[in-house]
Amino acid sequence: MAARPPFPPFDEHSARQKVQAAEDAWNTRDPERVALAYTEDSVWRNRDTFLTGREEIVAFLRRKWARELDYALRKELWSYSGNRIAVRFQYECHDATGQWWRSYGNELWEFDEEGLMRRREAGIHDVAITGDERRITGPRPEAERGRPLPFR
C-alpha cells in the first residue's frame, strides 16, 4: 500500500494540502484513483450507506457517478487535530432527467500513520437548483484555491 503524504499529525498547511488533494481526486470521477487514498479496510458512512474496504468504495463511487452526472466538487478545511480533519463541501451535478442539484455536506476524516484515510463520515443534503444557479462547473481553477465556500 503506497503512503499518501502529507502525514499526520497535521498542521494547518498539511491539512489544507490533504483537503485540496481530496478535492482534486474526486473531481477526476475515477473511482479506482479516489479509492487509493483510503486504507484497504477503510470504513465509511455516506448519508445512510455504510461501507467497508476499497472494493465497496469503488463500487459505491461507480454507482454515484453513473447517476450524478457532470459532478463537480469543492472542499474546504473546517478543522484539524492530530490525525483528524473536518471539511465542509459543496458539489453540483444533474440527474438523468436534467435536474441540477447542489449538495452541501460535512465530512469527518481519520488517517493512519501512512496518510491513508481509515474512516470517513459524511452528512449530505441536496437542494434542487436550475442550470442558471450553477456556480461549480468543473475542477477548481488555480486562482480559486483556498477561497472559502459561499454559504448558499
Side-chain angles (χ1 to χ4, degrees), residues 1-11 13-15 17-18 82-85 111-117:
M1 195 176 320
R4 301 291 274 215
F7 307 111
F10 298 111
D11 59 18
H13 177 72
S14 61
Q17 285 180 311
K18 203 64 142 172
N83 69 337
R84 294 181 174 151
I85 296 175
F111 295 87
D112 72 5
E113 61 282 345
E114 297 295 314
L116 294 165
M117 196 182 301

Side-chain angles (χ1 to χ4, degrees), residues 16 36 38 46 51-52 59 66 73 80 84 90 113 115 132:
R16 288 188 188 284
L36 292 176
Y38 302 92
N46 195 91
L51 309 168
T52 301
L73 167 73
Y80 62 91
R84 294 181 174 151
Q90 296 175 23
E113 61 282 345
D132 291 341

Side-chain angles (χ1 to χ4, degrees), residues 2-125:
R4 301 291 274 215
F7 307 111
F10 298 111
D11 59 18
E12 183 175 353
H13 177 72
S14 61
R16 288 188 188 284
Q17 285 180 311
K18 203 64 142 172
V19 171
Q20 189 62 58
E23 177 184 306
D24 293 344
W26 279 64
N27 276 323
T28 68
R29 298 184 300 241
D30 179 342
E32 288 78 11
R33 176 179 172 185
V34 171
L36 292 176
Y38 302 92
T39 62
E40 290 285 346
D41 61 351
S42 185
V43 294
W44 280 27
R45 180 187 58 78
N46 195 91
R47 301 176 193 250
D48 62 350
T49 302
F50 295 83
L51 309 168
T52 301
R54 281 189 185 161
E55 286 184 29
E56 288 186 17
I57 291 168
V58 168
F60 171 84
L61 292 173
R62 283 185 183 141
R63 291 188 306 272
K64 172 184 179 63
W65 291 321
R67 73 177 181 279
E68 294 180 356
L69 307 173
D70 293 319
Y71 173 98
L73 167 73
R74 299 291 184 271
K75 290 185 182 279
E76 181 180 351
L77 176 65
W78 188 256
S79 182
Y80 62 91
S81 179
N83 69 337
R84 294 181 174 151
I85 296 175
V87 300
R88 64 183 187 153
F89 64 88
Q90 296 175 23
Y91 69 83
E92 293 176 355
C93 63
H94 66 88
D95 60 27
T97 71
Q99 173 62 59
W100 282 95
W101 299 92
R102 182 175 302 126
S103 299
Y104 297 89
N106 302 293
E107 293 176 318
L108 304 175
W109 299 344
E110 183 179 88
F111 295 87
D112 72 5
E113 61 282 345
E114 297 295 314
L116 294 165
M117 196 182 301
R118 66 180 166 210
R119 185 179 182 105
R120 174 184 174 269
E121 297 185 39
I124 307 166
H125 304 280

